[in-house]
Amino acid sequence: MNEPDKHVTDPELAPRLTDEQWDRLCVRGTIRDVDDGEILFATGQRDYPMILVEDGEIEIVRDSLAWLDEEVIAFMGPRSFAGELGLLNGQRAFLTARAIGPGRVREVSRSDLRRLLAEDDELGDVILHALWARRESLRRGSAAMTLKIVGAAGSPGFLSLRRFANRLDLVHMAVEIDLDAPAHPLHARYAPSDRRSSSSRVSPSCAPHRACSPSSSG
């Protein structure tokens, strides 16, 4: 079976910039020649740039996790830019950007990106809309599994962690488990003898679960 094409074509996620808009964006960036497999920014990186692809192609990757293999979320080619809302709100990189073959990119620092948004209303609006749309797209896909909150349904601890993630606008997946079910793999470890205290327990495990859902609201 052929894998689905993961080149970003949605105009909301990858807007087509005019020649003039692209030139105005490129003057903000620093040229960098890259080799095959070179990391342009990595998951967890604090101060990472927006990447403008001039020549070649890059892939956006959700890193492998204890329970999941690495997954390529998207491919991006010439005259596209990589990054999402975390560039503006100070969050660490949520995904990894990696070069596919040799190429040339430009790096736009966070401070230069903020300056662009303040000084160029037209281009700034296009970029901001795309960054916001990408964040919302991440909530609905497998990238949300990068941060997984696991706990007993309705427990204060579980709800508190979800509210915390929502307040920081973190892309995450909430996993509700039924600790009262003896067949559940976490039952023996987390189910207390006193049922009243079970509501405050939150599981840090990545074991199989009963139900899960990407979440952006608590």
Side-chain angles (χ1 to χ4, degrees), residues 17 22 25 28-30 40-41 47-53 58 80-84 87-88 105-110 113 116-117 127-128 130-131 134:
L17 301 181
W22 180 251
L25 181 55
R28 307 277 180 163
T30 302
L40 306 176
F41 58 75
D47 188 16
Y48 66 100
M50 171 184 279
I51 301 296
L52 315 181
V53 184
I58 67 174
S80 63
F81 56 89
E84 56 96 44
L87 284 166
L88 301 179
V105 302
R106 289 179 184 259
E107 297 178 329
V108 181
S109 68
R110 282 180 166 178
L113 178 58
L116 167 65
L117 297 181
I127 293 173
L128 183 59
L131 299 184
R134 291 174 182 180

Side-chain angles (χ1 to χ4, degrees), residues 51-65:
I51 301 296
L52 315 181
V53 184
E54 281 201 354
D55 184 48
E57 191 173 44
I58 67 174
E59 56 187 1
I60 307 301
V61 178
R62 176 189 47 70
D63 291 353
S64 61
L65 305 169

